[in-house]
Amino acid sequence: VERRARPLLTALDRAGTVYAPSPLHDVRIAAKKFRYAVELVRELAGVPLAEPLRAMKAEQERLGQLHDLQVVQARLQALAGRAGTSRAAIRAFKTVTVALENDCRALHAEFVGGVAGFAESIGRARTASALALVQPAPRRMAGRPAKPSTGSGTRAGRGHG
């Protein structure tokens, strides 16, 4: 978790507040890797991380939606730039591209507005994960069946048949 947190925090810092697709995509990828590590800690150590995971997933989904819009926008721009594209098609592509750009900027504004909460969720997940390493592990994880006894204390083990 700690190893995945550092690149995520660096990516968040690099993304800053200026709208730029590449740094935002870097945040999305780093967030995905961090979330997977946190989910692993939750499963293996039984650490209660539902709230930070929910917040991280929401930001990751927002960044995913933003990335999808950016990809569509880039493809439309490429189509508009092809030789032989009619003026009517170029105008239509431009109209859609401008609408996509507005949507991207709105999502970016939401992302920037939520960065402090996102960073707080990252911090909570890091702290809870670190504490899980220094606290004794639970004897048995929920949902796992208990191991059957070896027979040393059973009737069959004592020769009572």
Side-chain angles (χ1 to χ4, degrees):
V1 168
E2 195 58 35
R3 194 183 79 197
R4 297 291 189 192
R6 285 182 293 248
L8 174 54
L9 294 171
T10 299
L12 273 174
D13 188 49
R14 287 183 180 153
T17 58
V18 175
Y19 174 65
S22 184
L24 292 169
H25 186 62
D26 293 344
V27 171
R28 178 177 171 248
I29 298 303
K32 184 183 293 190
K33 291 177 180 180
F34 179 74
R35 193 182 104 217
Y36 292 159
V38 172
E39 287 174 343
L40 187 62
V41 166
R42 181 189 64 188
E43 292 298 318
L44 294 178
V47 179
L49 291 163
E51 180 56 32
L53 280 168
R54 187 194 60 71
M56 286 184 277
K57 188 174 182 180
E59 283 305 321
Q60 196 177 337
E61 286 174 0
R62 183 187 337 265
L63 289 168
Q65 183 181 10
L66 177 58
H67 180 71
D68 291 347
L69 292 174
Q70 291 166 339
V71 168
V72 171
Q73 185 181 21
R75 288 186 180 164
L76 286 174
Q77 288 170 337
L79 286 171
R82 287 170 116 180
T85 304
S86 72
R87 290 180 193 251
I90 291 171
R91 280 193 302 273
F93 289 152
K94 184 176 180 180
T95 300
V96 174
T97 300
V98 168
L100 289 171
E101 180 71 17
N102 290 337
D103 290 347
C104 286
R105 290 189 181 274
L107 283 169
H108 178 255
E110 290 175 20
F111 169 74
V112 169
V115 164
F118 188 36
E120 185 179 311
S121 294
I122 294 166
R124 286 196 315 264
R126 290 170 74 187
T127 300
S129 297
L131 287 174
L133 294 175
V134 296
Q135 293 175 346
R139 290 188 170 262
R140 191 177 78 128
M141 288 179 50
R144 278 200 164 166
K147 290 184 180 179
S149 62
T150 59
S152 60
T154 64
R155 290 180 72 169
R158 285 189 231 138
H160 304 286

